[in-house]
């Protein structure tokens, strides 16, 4: 081999061009970076998984909650209101079971689109228009009124009832009695038997009789088949008195229904399958049902069946409208919690991006100095993030989709995609900012941004307070949803300005004392870690958002419970009310035994006359309700219910001779009292002179009654009207057991126990609390508060981790100068806890301010389940509890981190070449 001439460059073989796979093996950027920081990789993966899981689960949970609320709401309404009820006059000449079935087939043919018929199937038949009063002297009477019987044809009755005596009706002579079957329960009540001929008392209709040929018993009285047909299973007690029942006839007696009932009508009840209805398709179902009731479908049905008077009715359109109104009213309140979680999660993503930026700042600047473009570096970071974020996001979304099945995907996938993009782009955006040209301090820009936030908060609060709640049908109110978060953000920005000043004052005070911890900790807290001019405001914002969201949500839930308690007590007239049947009184032995039940604090018997009147000098009578009660116990009842409160001493004292009786009068009693007081005439004709001593706003003894009221003390009135001593109502305050009270009624008044009415506030509260719409909103608030708390704690930990390297180096150096381990832990605590406690205090204040400013615009009726006055009453406990809990958890997290940081080895922190 010949050497090249001197001065000539040595010839070298050119390297073979590297393939893409070879370059990837030489510089595996993504995997190298992920292996270099396993803790950061794990944190990014977990954060992406949890965030996408929550974002995907929220719309799914809302959809499931809306569907459940719809179905439970319709189930509670019962099968009658959720059915389509068609009626038509029976044909005068060709009444037959085949005609009923043909019309049923036509009616069913128009269903199956947006709604379907329930599996229980339709119910059809024919009935007499009116019941007939019977003249049989051997039958039982009620309230001195004879029983009434209507005739009913139910071709499906044999499948839902069992014959116990005799035979099913059928046959019979055309001019003889109509064969009928009666329920065994009704026969026992009426004292009727096989062979009894039912004779109508009136002679205005055609002369006709009916003979009982069979007795049957119902297999299941709660079977939906007997809905609206209860008088066919037993003897009913109608409002106009007298027993009422229905007797079944055979198909050959269809043409005789009109003779008994002054006319007859065919009916078809089509129960809608509410278990298949979906909240997102409620509008379509409503339109189709409305067309079935009064629209093109109804017209077509009339033509197809040949019944021009066919009329279809249903309560479903009204139920749908009521449910939509409740959902729209509850939507803004339910959205406040998720909005708070989203705000805190966004802050956490910013903190995580900041932590990654601080950790890799030198690396990014080195890549930029070696010729890397910002776009190229950002692309590499996006590819690096995609390896961790995308699988975690996919797993989180899939988990939510599997755990919360629902047919709707759009909203859930959209939320998952949005959170995935935020998680993927957070660090690349932060890196792009770091690689941009450095900009000097801009205190004016920060001040302008803060003023803009405060201005937006003021505008939102002012608008919400000015116009109140969103009108019905307008959908969720973005101002009401965003106003609490804006208040929290403004509070955080204000606190970020104030906190360093306060902490510097504490540091100055600590400088005058011996020891380094008392001065150095507050000084570092005021300065911020890693040489910053001020502490990071992001952890503070996260904590305040979480505490404010939790405090406002807890205030809403507490307000809902308090409002339900007030509504329940107002509806029950206290905690428990017993109403005697008309013409009877509450047994004294029952009153004594019930008053001694465990949990009963106060009980009283009350005599109420709803047919009294105030008679003026001209003889004009004004209807009033007179209530006679013992003043002390009645005052306690009024105070508990919150209606008609007064000082019991006003009705006390002796009243001698014919002196007017002191009385409480309601404000709606017309006219001024004459010189000698009002003259009150009771329903038995007795006159009393009463002297008004106070005006009250109503009475707890007559819930829902709006008539004028007069309350009299029991002692003076009983002495003049002895019958008043027999109480018609009994009230109690305390945790009374309604079942035990009903058992006492059955023991002390066995003859008429079923006619006593028992109302308890606990049962009313349970009924209000059983609404799935309210339960879903409450659960959503609870989950949102927990999620916000978790993200807030993560924000605190990220802030601590972000400052950990610089703090660890400082502790190690101070250890070489004699700092003891306990002092190191104390130093970390005094540096980190001021922000936690400031955030807790600021969260309490911002939550209280949010309740105070926005509470007047919050309508709790949709969550309570009853109409209540608009407004959220301020309360300290709901705001303090979540704030203190958050402060304790954050303090524990700081303490744990301090214990770790304070015990790091000096040799680890002071290794050779440390540049911190």
């Amino acid at each position: 081999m010949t050497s090249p001439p001197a001065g000539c460059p040595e010839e070298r073989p050119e390297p073979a061009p590297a393939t893409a796979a070879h370059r990837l093996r030489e510089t595996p950027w993504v995997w190298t970076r992920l292996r270099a920081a396993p803790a950061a990789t794990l944190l990014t993966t977990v954060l992406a998984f949890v965030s996408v899981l929550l974002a995907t689960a929220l719309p799914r949970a809302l959809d499931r909650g809306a569907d459940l609320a719809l179905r439970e709401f319709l189930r509670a309404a019962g099968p009658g209101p959720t059915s389509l009820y068609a009626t038509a006059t029976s044909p005068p000449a060709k009444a037959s079971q085949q005609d009923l079935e043909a019309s049923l087939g036509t009616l069913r043919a128009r269903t199956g689109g947006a709604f379907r018929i329930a599996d229980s199937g339709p119910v059809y038949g024919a009935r007499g228009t009116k019941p007939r009063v019977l003249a049989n002297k051997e039958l039982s009477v009620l309230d001195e009124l004879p029983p009434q019987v209507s005739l009913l044809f139910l071709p499906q009755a044999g499948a839902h009832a069992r014959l116990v005596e005799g035979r099913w009706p059928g046959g019979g002579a055309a001019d003889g009695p109509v064969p009928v079957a009666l329920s065994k329960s009704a026969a026992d009540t009426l004292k009727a038997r096989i062979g009894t001929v039912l004779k109508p008392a009136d002679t205005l209709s055609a002369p006709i009789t009916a003979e009982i040929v069979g007795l049957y018993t119902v297999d299941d009285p709660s079977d939906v088949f007997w809905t609206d047909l209860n008088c066919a299973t037993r003897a009913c007690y109608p409002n106009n008195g007298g027993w009422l029942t229905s007797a079944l006839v055979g198909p050959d007696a269809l043409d005789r229904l009109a003779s008994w009932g002054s006319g007859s009508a065919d009916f078809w009840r089509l129960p809608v399958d509410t278990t298949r209805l979906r909240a997102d398709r409620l509008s379509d179902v409503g339109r189709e049902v409305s067309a079935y009731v009064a629209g093109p479908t109804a017209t077509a049905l009339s033509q197809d069946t040949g019944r021009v008077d066919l009329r279809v009715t249903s309560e479903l359109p009204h139920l749908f409208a009521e449910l939509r109104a409740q959902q729209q009213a509850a939507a803004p309140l339910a959205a406040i919690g998720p909005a708070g979680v989203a705000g805190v999660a966004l802050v956490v993503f910013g903190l995580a991006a900041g932590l990654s930026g601080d950790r890799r700042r030198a690396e990014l600047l080195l890549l930029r100095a070696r010729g890397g473009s910002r776009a190229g570096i950002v692309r590499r970071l996006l590819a690096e993030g995609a390896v961790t974020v995308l699988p975690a996001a996919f797993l989180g979304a899939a988990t939510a989709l599997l755990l919360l099945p629902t047919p709707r995907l759009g909203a859930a996938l959209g939320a998952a995609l949005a959170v995935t993009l935020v998680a993927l782009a957070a660090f690349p955006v932060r890196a792009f900012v770091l690689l941009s040209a450095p900009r000097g301090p801009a205190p004016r820009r920060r001040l302008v941004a803060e003023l803009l936030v405060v201005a937006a908060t003021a505008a939102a609060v002012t608008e919400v307070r000015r116009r109140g709640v969103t009108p019905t049908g307008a959908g969720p109110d973005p101002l009401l949803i965003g106003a609490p978060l804006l208040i929290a953000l403004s509070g955080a920005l204000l606190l970020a300005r104030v906190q360093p000043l306060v902490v510097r004052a504490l540091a100055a005070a600590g400088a005058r004392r011996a020891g380094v911890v008392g001065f150095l900790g507050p000084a570092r807290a005021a300065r911020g870690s890693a040489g910053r001019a001020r502490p990071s405001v992001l952890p503070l914002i996260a904590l305040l958002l979480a505490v404010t969201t939790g405090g406002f949500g807890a205030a809403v839930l507490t307000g809902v419970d308090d409002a339900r308690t007030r509504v329940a007590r107002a509806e029950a007239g206290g905690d428990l009310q017993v109403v005697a049947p008309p013409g009877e009184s509450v047994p004294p032995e029952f009153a004594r035994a019930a008053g001694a039940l465990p949990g009963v604090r106060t009980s009283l018997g009350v005599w109420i006359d709803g047919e009294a009147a105030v008679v003026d000098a001209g003889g004009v009578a004004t209807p009033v309700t007179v209530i006679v009660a013992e003043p002390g116990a009645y005052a306690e009842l009024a105070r508990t219910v919150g209606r008609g409160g007064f000082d019991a001493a006003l009705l006390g004292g002796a009243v001698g001779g014919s002196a007017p009786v002191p009385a409480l009068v309601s404000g709606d009693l017309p006219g001024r009292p004459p010189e000698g007081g009002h003259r009150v005439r009771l329903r038995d004709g007795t006159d009393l002179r009463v002297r008004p001593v106070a005006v009250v706003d109503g009475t707890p003894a007559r819930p829902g009654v709006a008539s004028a009221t007069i309350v009299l003390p029991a002692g003076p009135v009983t002495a003049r009207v002895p019958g008043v001593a027999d109480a018609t109502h009994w009230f109690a305050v305390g945790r009374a057991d309604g079942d035990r009270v009903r058992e006492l009624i059955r023991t002390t008044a066995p003859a008429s126990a079923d006619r006593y009415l028992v109302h308890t506030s606990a049962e009313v509260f349970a009924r209000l609390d059983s609404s799935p719409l309210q339960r879903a909103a409450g659960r959503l608030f609870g989950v949102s508060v927990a999620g916000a708390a978790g993200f807030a704690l993560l924000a605190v930990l990220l802030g601590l981790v972000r400052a950990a390297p610089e703090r660890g180096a400082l502790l190690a150096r101070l250890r070489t100068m004699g700092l003891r381990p306990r002092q190191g832990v104390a130093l970390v605590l005094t540096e980190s806890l001021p922000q936690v406690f400031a955030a807790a205090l600021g969260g309490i204040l911002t939550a209280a301010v949010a309740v105070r400013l926005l509470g007047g615009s919050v309508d709790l009726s949709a969550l309570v389940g009853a109409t209540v006055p608009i407004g959220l009453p301020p309360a300290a406990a709901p705001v303090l509890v979540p704030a203190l809990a958050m402060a304790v958890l954050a303090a524990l997290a700081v303490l744990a981190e301090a214990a770790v940081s304070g015990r790091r080895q000096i040799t680890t922190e002071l290794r050779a070449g440390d540049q911190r």
Side-chain angles (χ1 to χ4, degrees):
M1 180 176 179
T2 306
S3 300
C8 294
E10 182 180 1
E11 294 183 2
R12 298 179 180 177
E14 294 184 1
T19 63
H22 181 68
R23 287 195 301 268
L24 183 60
R25 286 193 298 270
E26 284 185 342
T27 56
W29 166 274
V30 174
W31 300 110
T32 300
R33 297 310 310 156
L34 294 181
R35 287 195 301 268
T41 301
L42 179 63
L43 175 63
T44 302
T45 304
V46 172
L47 183 59
F49 172 79
V50 173
S51 301
V52 174
L53 175 66
L54 292 177
T56 309
L58 176 61
R60 308 278 286 183
L62 291 176
D63 288 342
R64 289 168 58 86
D67 290 344
L68 179 62
L70 168 64
R71 293 161 187 170
E72 287 293 320
F73 179 79
L74 296 179
R75 184 193 62 79
T82 57
S83 299
L84 298 170
Y85 200 85
T87 58
T89 304
S90 300
K94 58 175 183 178
S96 66
Q97 181 176 344
Q98 291 75 17
D99 185 58
L100 288 171
E101 293 174 350
S103 298
L104 174 63
T106 303
L107 292 171
R108 296 196 64 166
R110 293 283 181 169
T111 63
F115 68 92
R116 297 182 179 181
I117 302 301
D119 294 336
S120 60
V123 180
Y124 65 98
R127 61 175 20 139
T129 305
K130 296 180 181 179
R132 296 288 287 270
V133 177
L134 301 181
N136 300 64
K137 301 299 182 181
E138 72 274 15
L139 300 181
S140 300
V141 298
L142 179 65
D143 296 337
E144 300 180 357
L145 295 175
Q148 305 175 57
V149 172
S150 63
L151 298 188
L152 177 67
F153 171 62
L154 284 176
Q156 304 162 300
H160 300 272
R162 177 171 45 88
L163 194 67
V164 295
E165 188 177 350
R167 62 180 177 84
W168 288 110
D175 56 348
V178 179
V180 299
L182 202 65
S183 71
K184 184 69 167 55
S185 174
D188 293 341
T189 301
L190 299 181
K191 294 182 172 55
R193 61 182 185 274
I194 297 292
T196 299
V197 177
L198 306 177
K199 303 173 183 178
D202 61 275
T203 58
L204 297 178
S205 301
I208 188 173
T209 58
E211 180 184 1
I212 301 177
V213 299
L215 300 179
Y216 63 90
T217 182
V218 174
D219 296 332
D220 182 10
S222 62
D223 187 352
V224 296
F225 175 83
W226 300 105
T227 300
D228 301 329
L229 301 172
N230 290 333
C231 291
T233 65
R234 57 183 173 82
C236 302
Y237 178 69
N239 294 332
N240 57 354
W243 294 114
L244 172 65
T245 189
S246 296
L248 301 183
V249 303
D252 54 344
L254 277 171
D255 55 350
R256 306 183 70 183
L257 291 178
S259 299
W260 179 278
S262 301
S264 64
D266 299 339
F267 67 89
W268 302 265
R269 179 168 58 82
L270 282 67
V272 175
D273 188 358
T274 59
T275 62
R276 295 177 179 268
L277 297 183
R278 287 167 40 182
D280 62 322
R281 297 181 179 177
L282 195 58
S283 299
D284 297 336
V285 178
R287 283 192 296 268
E288 190 165 326
V289 170
S290 298
Y292 206 102
V293 172
T297 305
T299 303
L301 286 173
S302 180
Q303 296 173 352
D304 295 344
T305 58
R307 297 171 180 262
V308 294
D309 62 341
L310 181 70
R311 183 170 178 264
V312 182
T313 59
S314 178
E315 292 295 321
L316 279 173
H318 304 289
L319 294 175
F320 292 163
E322 182 180 351
L323 181 62
R324 277 194 295 266
Q326 293 182 6
Q327 289 175 337
Q328 289 166 353
L333 297 178
I336 291 176
V341 177
V344 179
L346 189 61
V347 173
V348 170
F349 279 120
L351 277 172
L355 175 62
S356 299
D358 291 346
R359 181 175 58 85
R360 300 179 60 178
R361 182 186 184 94
E363 170 196 338
L364 297 175
L365 293 178
L366 179 62
L367 290 174
R368 179 67 170 148
R370 289 186 173 181
S373 65
R374 285 186 296 177
I377 296 174
V378 168
R379 282 195 300 270
R380 282 181 176 269
L381 296 179
L382 284 173
E384 176 184 333
V387 174
T388 56
V389 171
L390 294 183
F394 176 80
L395 183 60
T399 303
L401 294 178
L402 291 176
L403 294 179
L404 299 172
T406 182
R408 297 178 287 282
L409 292 173
L413 294 181
L417 179 60
V419 174
T420 302
L421 292 178
V422 172
L424 188 61
F427 177 51
V429 170
R430 175 61 178 166
F432 186 84
V433 174
L434 288 175
L435 297 175
S436 301
R439 305 169 68 178
R444 291 185 179 180
R445 285 199 300 269
R446 179 188 176 188
L447 179 61
V448 170
E450 293 173 349
L451 291 177
L452 288 176
V453 172
V454 173
T457 303
V461 171
T462 302
E463 182 64 15
V464 170
R465 289 172 59 87
R466 183 188 64 82
R467 62 168 173 75
V469 296
T470 302
T472 302
D477 187 352
L479 286 178
L480 189 59
I481 296 172
L485 304 182
L486 287 174
I487 291 175
L489 182 58
S490 298
L493 296 178
L494 178 62
L495 191 60
R497 290 279 186 177
V498 175
Q499 178 196 346
L501 302 179
V502 177
V503 177
R504 286 192 190 103
L506 295 177
R512 293 190 290 269
R513 304 183 62 182
V516 70
V517 175
F519 163 73
L520 188 57
R524 286 177 53 80
R527 177 178 61 87
S529 60
R532 293 183 179 85
R534 60 178 67 89
S536 175
V537 74
L538 289 181
L540 196 62
I541 292 176
L543 282 172
L544 253 73
L545 285 176
V547 173
T548 304
T549 301
F552 193 84
V556 170
L557 295 181
T558 302
V560 169
D561 286 341
D562 293 344
R564 281 179 182 162
T565 301
R566 292 193 300 270
V567 170
R569 282 178 167 169
E571 186 172 332
D575 290 319
L576 193 146
Q577 176 186 182
V578 176
V579 183
E584 299 186 27
S585 60
V586 178
E589 55 271 21
F590 162 79
R592 289 191 296 269
L597 288 175
V600 175
R601 299 197 312 268
T602 303
S603 64
L604 72 156
V606 176
W607 184 85
I608 298 179
D609 184 356
E611 301 175 6
V614 171
V615 183
D616 61 12
V620 177
T622 301
V624 296
T625 297
V626 174
I627 298 171
V628 180
E630 194 279 319
Y634 181 80
E636 173 67 13
L637 176 67
R639 184 193 62 80
T640 301
V641 176
R643 186 183 184 195
F646 68 101
D647 184 1
L650 294 174
L651 296 181
V655 180
S658 59
V661 178
L664 305 175
V665 299
S666 59
D668 53 357
L669 183 65
R672 301 183 62 181
E675 185 67 25
H678 290 297
R679 181 161 65 100
V680 178
R681 178 167 297 167
L682 304 179
R683 63 187 170 196
D684 61 357
T686 304
D687 284 352
L688 283 176
R689 283 285 179 180
V690 301
R691 172 176 52 88
V693 295
V695 177
V696 294
D697 59 351
T699 173
R702 296 297 296 271
V705 176
S707 63
T709 304
I710 296 178
V711 181
L712 303 176
V717 178
T718 303
R720 302 181 188 185
V721 187
V724 172
D726 299 329
T728 60
H729 294 64
W730 183 83
F731 296 90
V733 175
R735 295 184 177 274
D737 188 347
D739 293 335
R740 297 191 63 179
V741 171
R742 292 183 178 92
E743 182 62 31
L744 283 177
I745 293 176
R746 286 190 289 269
T747 303
T748 56
S752 56
D754 294 339
R755 300 172 61 193
Y756 277 79
L757 301 180
V758 179
H759 306 284
T760 67
S761 62
E763 293 171 351
V764 178
F765 187 95
R767 174 173 56 81
L768 295 174
D769 190 47
S770 64
S771 171
L773 181 64
Q774 286 84 37
R775 291 202 307 268
R779 286 195 301 267
L780 186 60
F781 262 124
V783 173
S784 299
V785 170
F791 278 114
L793 292 179
L794 183 57
V796 172
L797 292 175
L798 287 176
L800 294 174
V801 171
R802 190 175 185 181
E806 192 269 342
R807 184 191 300 120
L810 174 67
L811 290 176
R813 293 173 184 133
L814 291 177
R815 285 285 302 277
T816 62
M817 293 184 283
L819 187 73
R820 294 190 298 273
R822 288 185 179 180
Q823 290 178 313
V825 174
L827 178 61
V828 177
L829 292 177
T830 55
E831 176 185 346
S832 304
L833 287 182
Q835 189 178 51
V836 174
F837 292 146
L841 178 60
I844 293 174
L845 294 177
T846 53
V849 169
V851 172
R852 180 66 182 85
L853 294 179
L854 305 176
S857 301
V858 175
D859 186 2
L860 298 177
S861 299
L863 298 181
V864 172
T867 301
V868 297
I870 295 177
L872 181 63
V879 176
L880 289 175
V881 171
L884 296 179
M886 188 76 64
V888 170
L889 293 176
L892 292 176
V894 171
L895 182 61
E897 201 277 339
V900 174
S901 298
R903 288 172 171 79
R904 285 177 176 158
Q905 297 296 327
I906 299 177
T907 54
T908 302
E909 296 298 334
L910 295 181
R911 62 186 181 272
D914 188 1
Q915 299 297 323
R916 289 172 294 180

